[in-house]
Amino acid sequence: MKKTIYLLLAFAAVLVSCEKTEKEDVVIAVNGDYIGTLTVNYQETDYETDSVKVSFQPNEAGDSASITLYQVRFVPQMPVTIDITVPGISVENTENGALLSCVQSIPLAMGGEYPRYTVTGFQGEVKGEEITFSLVFGSYPTSYRGRLQEE
């Protein structure tokens, strides 16, 4: 009986020593500039703008980020292009990339806040060399799909 117990204990010790060590928290979501297509739904019509640059900037801990859209004209009637930043996006790192979400955020543009175009329902993903997200700017459903820009 003692031999059986010793064998079981020895076997358990071998199993424990062979277990993989717990992975360190690796920040998968990294700074990156993407080029892609922005689609805005305005008065029940989708307006697509190609070659839109988006910068993804996670914080040091990798658990939140901001996204900046550069030189954006949301609809053809818009007289100017602007850079607009969406702060306060939650980042959840996964094995394949990162999930992005934000219930509500006041965007920043031209040196100030734009509460009229409060962002709601932000959902997205960074996976490999691609980023996708959708949100509502004020009352305008918007989506983006881009690919990591080569340096």
Side-chain angles (χ1 to χ4, degrees), residues 3 5 14 23 25 31 35 44 47 53-54 77-78 80 89 100-101 105-107 118 120 130 134 136 146-147:
K3 281 186 178 182
I5 290 174
V14 169
K23 287 195 310 187
D25 289 337
N31 285 328
I35 299 295
E44 299 183 24
Y47 292 94
K53 178 181 173 183
V54 164
Q77 299 86 339
M78 192 170 160
V80 296
I89 299 167
L100 313 175
S101 64
S105 176
I106 296 176
T118 295
T120 56
E130 293 189 1
S134 61
V136 177
R147 189 152 188 81

Side-chain angles (χ1 to χ4, degrees), residues 1 18 21 35 42 44 52 68 72 81 84 88 94 113 116 123-125 150:
M1 180 75 166
C18 291
T21 58
I35 299 295
Y42 176 70
E44 299 183 24
V52 173
T68 302
V72 173
T81 60
I84 189 162
T94 67
E113 295 182 337
R116 178 178 174 194
Q123 295 292 319
E125 183 176 33
E150 297 294 323

Side-chain angles (χ1 to χ4, degrees), residues 27-34 55-59 62 91 93 98 126 128 148:
V27 177
I28 296 173
V30 295
N31 285 328
D33 292 333
Y34 296 81
S55 182
F56 175 72
Q57 305 120 3
N59 66 358
V91 177
N93 288 317
V126 176
L148 192 62

